[in-house]
Amino acid sequence: METLESFVAGEWIRGSGTPHALHNPTTEEKIAETSTAGIEFRRAVDHARDEGGKNLRAMTFAERGDVLRAMSRVIHASRDALIELAILNGGNTRSDAKFDIDGASGTLAYYAELGKELGSQKFLLDGDGIQLGRSPRFFGQHVLLPRRGVAVHINAFNFPGWGFAEKAACALLAGMPVVTKPATSTALLAFRMMKLFDEAKCLPRGALSFVAGSAGDLLSHLGGQDVIAFTGSSDTGSIIRLMPNLQKASVRINVEADSLNAAVLGPDVPPGSDTYRMFLNDVARDVTQKAGQKCTAIRRVFVSKDQLAQVQGDLLDRLREAKVGDPAADGVTVGPLATAQQKRDVTAGIELLAKEAAVVLGSGPFERVGVTGDKGYFVPPTLLVSEAPETLARVHDHEVFGPVATLMATSGRAADVAALVARGGGGLVSSVYSDDREFAADMIFEIGPWHGRLVMGSEKLSDQMPGPGTVLPHTIHGGPGRAGGGEELGGARGLAFYSQRTAVQGSRPILEAILGKKENKA
Ligand code: NAP
């Protein structure tokens, strides 16, 4: 059995004390253990700030991009071995594992290219310079300078690969060193990635540290130049936000929390059309992919009353094709949830939703391919239906983080649908499927402010879009309200969190000579 180690202050360290067990969610067997007790986190952050920060700030964007490219290649070169670990520790099917691992290497490669484009500069100009006085000489220029602290990244259990990479890519490219921490329960994949990076020596000293387990007192050592990017539950996000030392020092915190993402079928969309198929594919994929354990997965599905019967029948047909079981077995499309606690939470969540909506799929015994006995943290695809969504409470505010969605019938009027979507309290992403431009426009302006991202499905795009569940590095990820209020990625926008925006005022010729002109603008 493997014992994970942390990589801090330039060395691999095994924690002391009682270790935390990692399990195979298909068999429930213990497969590894880890502890971070006894690790000196003050030394870890000091080393990252001093060594890593200095080394990264000395590099140009192009050079930092080269580091990201090397990391991307390291992951890609070990793709098959990493997929096996995602199956073993995450309960991912092969396809789910690729989603996470290729998402990681792809995001790093995207930011490597951005680094190349930003070229030989070491910081960014933010917008045009501004004449501040009567003469053009008194001038102001906003600049984005790498912050002098450390970026602590805390990730959720469901994306140990991509979750690590999407945060690390932005911080490292901006010139900030990273201390990254996966969720303990699924840390095996991120641990192996970190080992591979270290073996390949692809990072400057101090640029990336790795905490294999509990954060311990890590956050108590942070100060005003440090940042925290957190992904996980709203409750943990709140605990972190309320830490007195972080509040006192105004430590910048980005929170990516949960979300009741919606899919809206426009009343104009006929069954069998391309737009309808796209809608159906996206909903069915999001219920089953990664056993529904994606923060971006569709949880609430809105259709008009006269579409309900057809959509319900078609969705049931699609979801009944799913095969639940050992993610390594041929033909299995839905693996187990990641942990025993997840299974308890999802089961309780379904019971809660079932008090106000009818369960039309998922109750009762179900087949588990390749599994003996009743081992494993399996939950079958589950669909609930309601014809009175405005009367529901829990469906609009309780995230069931598994293969579960609720189909609801509405009047089909944009204002009514928008009001229901907004009851999610702020989301990461919602999707609208319509070829009626007026309906699409109403939805963009009405539900846009409640989301970090909208996916507008329409006929001519049906073969080109990966669906709302896929986060693309070019556009932002995060959302207002219950989604955490955070914002990550979005191309060069993602670098701003790791930079200090400073307005420099002075003589135009002097500032332009020191800062450069427009060529390194964000
Ligand atoms: P979680 O229990 O809140 O844990 C998230 C991370 O926080 C883990 O790494 C955990 O470490 C760490 N943590 C827990 N307590 C901490 C503390 N006091 N100080 C510092 N770190 C602490 O959430 P989860 O169960 O892993 O994730 C599921 C939730 O994440 C779902 O609600 C999902 O919607 C959300 N999520 C959101 C996004 C997004 O991008 N918005 C993406 C993925 C998931 P340990 O594992 O060591 O306890």
Side-chain angles (χ1 to χ4, degrees):
M1 192 184 47
E2 189 150 14
T3 301
L4 310 194
E5 295 176 329
S6 296
F7 186 74
V8 295
E11 52 191 47
W12 287 99
I13 300 177
R14 187 171 291 196
S16 56
T18 310
H20 186 102
L22 281 68
H23 294 95
N24 176 341
T26 306
T27 62
E28 303 184 19
E29 282 163 351
K30 184 173 164 183
I31 50 172
E33 60 182 26
T34 189
S35 165
T36 58
I39 292 179
E40 289 177 66
F41 285 117
R42 169 165 291 289
R43 217 164 65 84
V45 296
D46 284 348
H47 174 83
R49 285 186 197 119
D50 297 346
E51 284 282 325
K54 186 179 71 189
N55 289 335
L56 284 165
R57 287 195 303 276
M59 298 167 86
T60 64
F61 283 115
E63 288 166 339
R64 294 175 207 151
D66 288 342
V67 171
L68 301 182
R69 188 171 294 102
M71 292 167 75
S72 170
R73 287 182 178 153
V74 163
I75 293 174
H76 193 67
S78 291
R79 184 172 183 255
D80 290 342
L82 293 170
I83 287 172
E84 294 306 323
L85 289 180
I87 294 171
L88 180 72
N89 186 206
N92 292 183
T93 63
R94 198 159 286 279
S95 158
D96 292 343
K98 288 178 193 164
F99 189 64
D100 186 28
I101 293 160
D102 294 346
S105 55
T107 302
L108 288 163
Y110 168 85
Y111 275 95
E113 273 311 293
L114 182 62
K116 192 170 158 192
E117 278 168 34
L118 294 173
S120 60
Q121 304 300 321
K122 295 177 179 171
F123 62 92
L124 293 168
L125 297 188
D126 178 33
D128 292 330
I130 314 151
Q131 181 176 325
L132 297 174
R134 263 174 298 166
S135 94
R137 183 164 284 270
F138 183 31
F139 180 71
Q141 175 67 60
H142 292 91
V143 290
L144 289 168
L145 302 171
R147 290 168 77 101
R148 293 299 175 104
V150 62
V152 172
H153 291 168
I154 300 174
N155 288 312
F157 71 86
N158 56 336
F159 280 106
W162 174 82
F164 150 74
E166 56 106 21
K167 287 179 165 52
C170 290
L172 295 172
L173 189 60
M176 256 193 117
V178 171
V179 174
T180 189
K181 176 202 141 20
T184 304
S185 55
T186 56
L188 196 52
L189 180 76
F191 168 70
R192 190 57 52 83
M193 282 184 179
M194 187 67 210
K195 279 275 179 196
L196 292 167
F197 298 145
D198 186 39
E199 281 157 25
K201 302 279 170 250
C202 57
L203 281 137
R205 199 174 145 75
L208 183 62
S209 307
F210 177 80
V211 177
S214 162
D217 68 354
L218 171 63
L219 302 186
S220 69
H221 300 297
L222 301 187
Q225 285 289 308
D226 302 316
V227 304
I228 300 171
F230 165 81
T231 296
S233 64
S234 308
D235 289 349
T236 311
S238 299
I239 291 171
I240 292 173
R241 272 196 175 118
L242 293 173
M243 283 179 68
N245 72 303
L246 303 180
Q247 288 190 350
K248 192 161 175 224
S250 307
V251 174
R252 200 178 267 185
I253 304 175
N254 192 76
V255 174
E256 299 290 339
D258 58 275
S259 180
L260 287 152
N261 314 299
V264 175
L265 182 64
D268 59 294
V269 180
S273 64
D274 279 359
T275 309
Y276 183 84
R277 271 196 297 276
M278 185 183 193
F279 156 81
L280 217 53
N281 287 343
D282 286 354
V283 176
R285 185 195 306 110
D286 272 10
V287 173
T288 54
Q289 189 174 45
K290 288 193 116 274
Q293 298 209 289
K294 283 188 319 203
C295 53
T296 49
I298 295 165
R299 306 286 174 204
R300 298 178 299 150
V301 186
F302 296 106
V303 302
S304 64
K305 283 195 168 51
D306 54 3
Q307 292 168 319
L308 181 68
Q310 176 85 38
V311 171
Q312 183 175 330
D314 291 341
L315 254 184
L316 286 174
D317 287 348
R318 294 292 298 271
L319 294 175
R320 284 190 182 119
E321 286 169 11
K323 290 213 174 340
V324 180
D326 180 347
D330 280 347
V332 166
T333 52
V334 182
L337 305 185
T339 64
Q341 184 60 44
Q342 286 294 316
K343 183 176 172 184
R344 283 192 289 274
D345 290 350
V346 168
T347 307
I350 293 170
E351 279 168 18
L352 205 60
L353 302 193
K355 290 190 173 139
E356 50 184 36
V359 180
V360 294
L361 180 74
S363 56
F366 60 99
E367 193 195 350
R368 290 175 296 176
V369 179
V371 178
T372 39
D374 60 356
K375 289 284 182 207
Y377 312 135
F378 296 98
V379 172
T382 302
L383 186 68
L384 298 98
V385 173
S386 168
E387 294 193 46
E390 53 294 326
T391 65
L392 310 182
R394 305 323 306 262
V395 167
H396 300 297
D397 80 359
H398 185 77
E399 181 201 48
V400 182
F401 205 57
V404 184
T406 306
L407 173 64
M408 290 169 269
T410 73
S411 69
R413 283 192 295 275
D416 296 345
V417 180
L420 287 165
V421 173
R423 285 186 57 191
L428 295 172
V429 58
S430 281
S431 44
V432 178
Y433 305 82
S434 174
D435 294 300
D436 174 342
R437 290 205 180 174
E438 206 177 318
F439 184 80
D442 284 347
M443 294 308 288
I444 289 175
F445 296 115
E446 290 302 320
I447 68 172
W450 296 92
H451 294 86
R453 185 161 59 93
L454 287 182
V455 173
M456 305 301 294
S458 62
E459 204 166 15
K460 291 190 178 129
L461 275 175
S462 56
D463 295 332
Q464 296 180 39
M465 296 217 293
T470 299
V471 173
L472 300 171
H474 322 60
T475 47
I476 58 164
H477 172 61
R482 72 170 297 145
E487 188 175 299
E488 297 183 321
L489 298 171
R493 291 176 188 83
L495 276 56
F497 180 69
Y498 301 99
S499 312
Q500 177 59 41
R501 180 181 284 114
T502 305
V504 187
Q505 301 174 342
S507 159
R508 179 170 190 158
I510 295 175
L511 295 192
E512 285 188 345
I514 294 171
L515 302 173
K517 293 187 188 170
K518 283 187 190 165
E519 50 281 1
N520 62 340
K521 201 167 74 176

